[in-house]
Structure formats: structure tokens, C-alpha cells
Amino acid sequence: MSDPTFQQLRVFLVVAEELHFGRAAARLHLAQPPVSRHIKALESALGTPLFERGSHGVTLTQAGMLMCREAHTLLRRWDNAAAMVADLSRGERQRIVLGAIESMAIESLPATVKTMRARHPDIVWELSEGHTEGLVEGFGTVRFDAVIVRGTIPEARDSSVLIHEDELVAALPYGHRLAGAEIDLADLANEDFIVYSRQPTSVLLNVTLSACQRAGFVPRIRYEALGTELILGLVAAGDGLALVSRAVSGSTLPGVRFARLAGRPAISSITLAWHAHVSAEVMKELAELLREATTAASVMPLTTTTVSRQQG
């Protein structure tokens, strides 16, 4: 029994997309018999059918659906590795695609990557912003070489480091009765909350709900929003308050002020994870620079100067 080949996997994925051997053969510019042979050889190597063939067409078996997902990952990893080797052989620079959560992307990451570019001119950095769930998914399919996410990625336990513990702070409308340098989370029990949307599931939403529960109340949610910009806009409009990353507390958006929560009850860990084909030394250097940047930002006072919203 021979091992599956990349060609068999590529043929399999096209058949899985088309669910029709004839159309798959046309896309692959092959006759139908070779396509069938590739699929039979792959099924033989795996010891299980990947397709159910019937009078009404072709469908994926449960094993076929699993293989479809894993084949995409395997081929993407191979394509990435082949591209990196080709770049090295041509003397071209290494490329690192880095995905990061919003709070890091708008605060410390741009300046840190600028420093890394100066230190490592042989590396091309490509940056992308996203939410943790999407970044983790992209990391799993090797769309990203490295990611900065909230929480941890268990499968990257040996190739990840903690950057820092992100403190959530309260974003309050201008003139709010609880405005101050520091407030108790329990004092917000009767306030309207604006939270991060459940679709996709938000780590920050879970942190907010857990913190409120420990403070003895369930937050009264008025709005859900996908991003911080919209959340702060709703806060500025007086539609409620929110718990947001301290990283955005330097915002000068008119109508919003920020306050720390006594006892730091809402904390979210920020982790950098990378794949094995990326230099661990480079990633640890990046992590150290990010730690320095976030530490420097954390000792700065929150934005306390606010501007009332203009009427009209």
C-alpha cells in the first residue's frame, strides 16, 4: 500500500467541490478514468470510502468531509513551505504573514513591526487584523504564519508565548454620573451595556460577562457590535457603556472617557503563536518588543480630557 500523493489530494478536493467526476475531470483537464483511479488509490491508502456513489450523484462520506478539511490544511502547508524554499533558493526575502487582534493592531504592533523590519531587512512582514476566532481558524489552515490572539492555541503550546495580560477598562459617555479615574464594576449593575457581538463568538464578550458575574450581576445588554469603533461610537452617543481593551483608551473620540476598574476584574491574556517553519528566535524577539510597548502604554494615564458632543 502506497502513501497518498499530493496529486491525489488535489484531485480529491476538486471532486469534493464538484461532486461530479465528469465536471472534476474537465476542471483538471484530465480524462475521467485517471480521476477515478486517483480517488480509488486515495481511498485504498486510507482504507475507507471518501464518496458515496449513487444513481442521484456523488456525496462525501463522513470520512470524506474530514479528509476534505485536512487536505486543504496539508496542501496549504506544502504550498507555503515550497514557496519559502523557492524564495530562499532565489535569494529572496522570507515572508511572514502575521494576523493580530484589533487592540494590538491599532496600538503597539505597527511600530514594533517597523522596528523588526529595520532589524531584519531579509523578512517581509504582511499584517492582517481580525478577531480571535477567525485568526485561530486561519492559523489552523496556515493562512497565517503567526497570530496574536486572546487566550491560547493548545496545538501551538510549544511555539507560543504570552505577551501580556490585557486590562479591560470602562468606556463611559461624556458626563456620566460615575465618571472618575477608577470605578467599581459592581456600580455598573444598573447600566446599559454595549458589548461585542456573539457572532462570531467574542472572547472579550465572555470576559465581560464573567467579570460582571463575579461582581454579582448580569449586564443589561442594549446593543451588540462587531468592532470597537462602533462600540465607542454608541458610547459617545449616550446609548450605554462598554468594557474595552485598555489599548484603545488613548482614543480622542469626542464624547467618550475611560476609567479603570478597581481590582482589575476583567483581564484577557494576549498570546503570540507561530508555526514551526517560522524562526522561534524572531518570534520571541517580536514578543519582547511587544511586551516593552504594552508595558510602556500601561503606565500612561487613561484619557481623561473629553469634549462634549456638538449639537446640531
Side-chain angles (χ1 to χ4, degrees):
M1 180 185 300
S2 60
D3 291 330
T5 66
F6 287 131
Q7 185 179 14
Q8 290 170 359
L9 293 178
R10 295 187 194 281
V11 169
F12 162 72
L13 288 176
V14 174
V15 177
E17 290 173 6
E18 296 291 342
L19 292 178
H20 191 283
F21 280 81
R23 290 195 299 269
R27 273 183 58 184
L28 292 163
H29 304 292
L30 295 172
Q32 187 168 329
V35 172
S36 298
R37 285 197 295 270
H38 281 304
I39 298 302
K40 288 180 180 178
L42 181 58
E43 291 176 327
S44 177
L46 295 172
T48 186
L50 299 175
F51 295 98
E52 290 181 356
R53 302 160 177 84
S55 58
H56 297 291
V58 177
T59 59
L60 283 164
T61 64
Q62 187 174 1
M65 289 186 281
L66 174 62
M67 192 62 201
C68 192
R69 185 189 68 196
E70 296 302 321
H72 276 296
T73 299
L74 287 169
L75 290 174
R76 189 171 287 112
R77 287 182 176 177
W78 165 252
D79 290 340
N80 286 349
M84 291 176 67
V85 170
D87 289 345
L88 286 175
S89 67
R90 292 192 298 265
E92 296 182 4
R93 294 185 292 174
Q94 179 187 0
R95 180 175 64 103
I96 295 179
V97 180
L98 174 63
I101 55 174
E102 180 183 47
S103 60
M104 296 297 292
I106 65 176
E107 183 199 22
S108 35
L109 187 60
T112 298
V113 169
K114 181 178 180 180
T115 300
M116 291 295 290
R117 284 175 175 145
R119 291 186 181 183
H120 301 278
D122 57 322
I123 298 177
V124 175
W125 296 85
E126 294 185 14
L127 306 183
S128 180
E129 177 190 323
H131 55 80
T132 289
E133 292 73 17
L135 294 171
V136 170
E137 180 183 355
F139 183 78
T141 59
V142 204
R143 184 159 55 92
F144 299 112
D145 301 301
V147 290
I148 300 173
V149 298
R150 294 187 182 276
T152 60
I153 302 179
E155 57 268 31
R157 186 177 297 106
D158 297 329
S159 55
S160 63
V161 293
L162 176 69
I163 296 175
H164 78 120
E165 299 286 352
D166 187 24
E167 174 186 0
L168 271 60
V169 298
L172 305 165
Y174 176 79
H176 190 277
R177 64 182 181 83
L178 293 175
E182 186 174 270
I183 59 178
D184 287 323
L185 179 57
D187 290 339
L188 305 180
N190 295 319
E191 300 290 327
D192 288 330
F193 273 72
I194 302 163
V195 299
Y196 290 88
S197 175
R198 304 169 197 271
Q199 298 295 331
T201 302
S202 169
V203 175
L204 282 182
L205 171 60
N206 293 334
V207 172
T208 295
L209 295 177
S210 296
C212 291
Q213 183 179 33
R214 290 192 297 271
F217 71 96
V218 175
R220 189 171 66 208
I221 297 174
R222 184 172 183 183
Y223 291 115
E224 294 185 7
L226 286 173
T228 303
E229 185 175 2
L230 177 56
I231 284 178
L232 294 181
L234 291 169
V235 171
D239 290 325
L241 55 82
L243 301 190
V244 297
S245 168
R246 176 158 182 166
V248 303
S249 64
S251 169
T252 56
L253 179 69
V256 180
R257 68 155 302 155
F258 300 90
R260 296 191 70 171
L261 300 173
R264 303 175 75 233
I267 300 294
S268 175
S269 61
I270 308 295
T271 302
L272 169 65
W274 61 90
H275 283 293
H277 64 263
V278 181
S279 167
E281 290 73 18
V282 169
M283 290 293 100
K284 290 176 181 178
E285 182 180 355
L286 173 66
E288 186 57 35
L289 288 173
L290 288 171
R291 285 193 200 100
E292 293 174 2
T294 52
T295 298
S298 68
V299 299
M300 296 177 63
L302 301 184
T303 297
T304 56
T305 303
T306 56
V307 180
S308 60
R309 294 177 60 84
Q310 298 298 314
Q311 300 299 316

